[in-house]
Amino acid sequence: MQYNLLVSDNATYDQDSQTYKLGKLLRSVSLPTVPFVIPLYVIGGASYLSLEESYDTQFIIYDSKERIVAVSERKVVRNQYRANRTPGFQLGYQLLIAFYAAETHHCCFFVNDKPVFWYPLAVELSADQVDHLPLVAEPLPSREENRL
């Protein structure tokens, strides 16, 4: 069997073509500060599978100290392709990941509880990212506005 794993900033699945349309593929992410939470998409696949077997799959992301920072749900999959194609599958998840340090994290693809593919993801700090963050909450009222 052959396995692969990609990390992207965005992904959508097209049911008709059975393919993923990916945003920017990532080897690193720049954050304004840590801790910081961002959504990332992990896409994994396998080729040259048995046509009869099912495969228990899961993605886990670890920090540099091997602590888990994100986990996908487990999913049991079988061959997804027509008879004239190489047996395999693709699956993807959006994971909300809390990064606590600027360091290399490792995304791991598990099949039948065994790690089959590792993907490094560097987390870097970048002060210029702060200007581009969306406003999440309204600013607090001034002291004068709080007076009754």
Side-chain angles (χ1 to χ4, degrees), residues 28-122:
S28 66
V29 292
S30 294
L31 305 177
T33 187
V34 287
F36 202 78
V37 177
I38 61 170
L40 291 178
Y41 295 80
V42 290
I43 311 295
S47 299
Y48 304 101
L49 303 178
S50 164
L51 291 172
E52 293 81 33
E53 287 185 52
S54 295
Y55 300 90
D56 183 24
T57 63
Q58 186 172 37
F59 297 99
I60 299 178
I61 300 179
Y62 299 91
D63 67 10
S64 66
K65 295 180 178 79
E66 298 184 14
R67 294 178 295 207
I68 295 173
V69 296
V71 178
S72 75
E73 65 182 77
R74 295 176 83 95
K75 188 171 189 177
V76 176
V77 295
R78 296 178 63 91
N79 174 48
Q80 296 174 341
Y81 302 123
R82 296 184 300 266
N84 63 344
R85 292 183 61 190
T86 302
F89 63 82
Q90 291 179 335
L91 67 151
Y93 290 97
Q94 178 186 20
L95 299 176
L96 210 56
I97 305 171
F99 292 109
Y100 290 93
E103 60 191 11
T104 299
H105 288 65
H106 293 90
C107 307
C108 187
F109 185 21
F110 285 84
V111 176
N112 296 334
D113 294 319
K114 295 179 182 147
V116 296
F117 200 96
W118 291 87
Y119 188 94
L121 182 67

Side-chain angles (χ1 to χ4, degrees), residues 129-146:
Q129 293 273 327
V130 174
D131 295 336
H132 305 292
L133 293 177
L135 184 62
V136 177
E138 293 295 320
L140 293 174
S142 68
R143 183 178 262 173
E144 288 76 32
E145 292 172 351
N146 275 336

